[in-house]
Amino acid sequence: MLIVDDSGTIRAGIKLVLQQAKLFDGYFDCADAQSALGLLKEETFEVVLCDIIMPNMDGFEFLRRVKSQEAFVDLPVILLTGQDTVAQKIKGLELGASDYLTKPFDPGELIARVKVQQKVKRLQDELKIAKQKYRELAITDFLTGITNRRHFMELYLKEFSRSKRFVAHLSLIFFDLDNFKKINDTLGHLQGDRVLKTLTKLVTSQIRRYDVFARYGGEEFILMLPQTGFDAAMMVAEKIRSTVETTHFEGMEAPGSVTISLGVSSFPLQKVETGEQLIKLADEAQYEAKQQGKNRVMTLVETSQ
């Protein structure tokens, strides 16, 4: 709770009433709006009580500055006023005030109004968390926890457009597990899921923070490497292939029981006009890796020149 008023007596009275009601874990108070703005940057508050008439910066200007910052848009601000006029209320509400309290205030009314704003703030925070969780579910593959195909395509098409506009390097690695159907058929789908989860962890540990790794479908995966040329992409692909081959996956016989086949495509080395075409080249290169015996990295770069 933050109380802003140039009167120390009023600040102490408000704090005493609210402390007795046990509404908040902590209380801060300021004699001026400028100090309050500084506190907002350092502490997290559920509700702010602010007087309108104060020296240097009044409550309206304080409110305007608070609500101009995205982080504080939903922060409830109750304005304190000794002049209960309609014009003042309208101005405050237009600036984003949540409520008004007229001085001298009744302790019961103070508690009731603060309780309402406290509840509103908590409901808003819960809604934000729920929305964030929903967004994460919408863009994440449920099994592996990495990006799903739909969200990958959104990110990838934007990056391809940028790369094409600035003629910047962009590479893709398309891969899938070798003999994955056999794993599911002989060891069961739970073991297959375990292999997919372990694989995603291995690959994630091999890539950069800004690379985008996604489950494309089933046992197929795709990796976008922004600002990465063909030679570097081939090195990344080979490193991933080798790591998978030499890892002992839980539930499998020994290292080498799980392998992957990878295809690499690279722009602008491969002359394509659309992002879908670059994906198709990586997919075709991965298919060629399968045809050549699996557990290898292939590319169609030379044949596309």
Side-chain angles (χ1 to χ4, degrees):
M1 177 73 191
L2 175 60
I3 304 163
V4 189
D5 197 301
D6 58 327
S7 169
T9 301
I10 291 177
R11 295 199 309 274
I14 292 173
K15 186 186 295 187
L16 179 62
V17 170
L18 296 178
Q19 282 178 330
Q20 289 175 343
K22 299 180 180 179
L23 297 184
F24 302 95
D25 293 330
Y27 295 84
F28 290 79
D29 63 278
C30 293
D32 62 90
Q34 194 64 52
S35 298
L37 289 173
L39 262 180
L40 284 174
K41 297 178 182 178
E42 300 172 2
E43 303 289 341
T44 300
F45 297 100
E46 285 188 83
V47 181
V48 176
L49 270 168
C50 181
D51 189 21
I52 292 178
I53 307 301
M54 293 185 293
N56 301 320
M57 184 190 303
D58 65 17
F60 292 131
E61 178 61 17
F62 169 79
L63 183 61
R64 186 190 68 77
R65 295 194 187 189
V66 168
K67 295 300 179 178
S68 68
Q69 300 179 57
E70 186 176 353
F72 305 131
V73 168
D74 295 327
L75 176 64
V77 178
I78 300 174
L79 290 178
L80 298 171
T81 177
Q83 302 174 2
D84 189 13
T85 67
V86 173
Q88 273 196 334
K89 289 182 177 179
I90 292 174
K91 182 177 180 180
L93 291 171
E94 287 179 343
L95 287 171
S98 302
D99 201 354
Y100 266 91
L101 188 65
T102 304
K103 297 185 291 185
F105 58 83
D106 176 79
E109 182 183 5
L110 169 63
I111 292 171
R113 290 185 182 277
V114 170
K115 272 186 175 180
V116 168
Q117 297 308 320
Q118 184 183 46
K119 184 176 181 179
V120 169
K121 179 64 166 62
R122 289 176 179 175
L123 288 173
Q124 287 175 332
D125 290 345
E126 289 173 4
L127 181 60
K128 284 182 180 179
I129 293 172
K131 284 182 176 180
Q132 180 60 29
K133 288 182 177 179
Y134 177 78
R135 170 169 169 75
E136 290 174 359
L137 288 173
I139 66 176
T140 304
D141 176 63
F142 75 98
L143 177 64
T144 61
I146 61 174
T147 303
N148 63 23
R149 179 173 178 171
R150 182 189 63 79
H151 188 52
F152 172 85
M153 290 303 298
E154 292 177 2
L155 299 175
Y156 166 66
L157 292 177
K158 289 180 182 178
E159 185 63 29
F160 181 84
S161 177
R162 189 197 68 81
S163 297
K164 187 176 179 181
R165 184 166 65 252
F166 297 107
V167 196
H169 290 295
L170 174 64
S171 294
L172 294 177
I173 301 175
F174 196 100
F175 66 91
D176 77 357
L177 282 147
D178 298 326
N179 306 312
F180 187 65
K181 184 177 184 302
K182 183 179 179 181
I183 294 175
N184 279 333
D185 290 345
T186 58
L187 300 176
H189 288 276
L190 289 178
Q191 177 59 29
D193 289 349
R194 189 178 296 118
V195 168
L196 291 174
K197 292 177 182 178
T198 301
L199 175 66
T200 57
K201 290 179 182 178
L202 283 175
V203 176
T204 300
S205 70
Q206 303 293 315
I207 61 179
R208 301 167 299 187
R209 177 182 54 80
Y210 52 87
D211 294 331
V212 182
F213 180 37
R215 187 180 181 190
Y216 204 70
E219 69 270 29
E220 294 181 325
F221 295 84
I222 191 165
L223 178 59
M224 176 174 70
L225 307 174
Q227 299 291 330
T228 304
F230 171 70
D231 291 339
M234 288 293 287
M235 291 177 63
V236 172
E238 177 55 32
K239 184 179 179 182
I240 291 172
R241 186 207 63 78
S242 176
T243 299
V244 172
E245 182 186 29
T246 56
T247 296
H248 183 196
F249 284 67
E250 181 183 355
M252 304 301 291
E253 291 182 358
S257 300
V258 176
T259 61
I260 56 176
S261 297
L262 308 91
V264 176
S265 61
S266 189
F267 179 85
L269 187 58
Q270 290 173 292
K271 308 302 181 183
V272 296
E273 293 299 320
T274 68
E276 289 83 355
Q277 290 173 338
L278 194 64
I279 290 178
K280 185 173 184 292
L281 287 172
D283 187 18
E284 291 174 348
Q286 182 269 142
Y287 177 78
E288 185 63 23
K290 292 281 191 185
Q291 296 298 105
Q292 293 293 328
K294 303 177 182 177
N295 189 26
R296 64 192 64 214
V297 179
M298 296 291 294
T299 180
L300 301 182
V301 165
E302 292 183 358
T303 60
S304 68
Q305 291 179 322

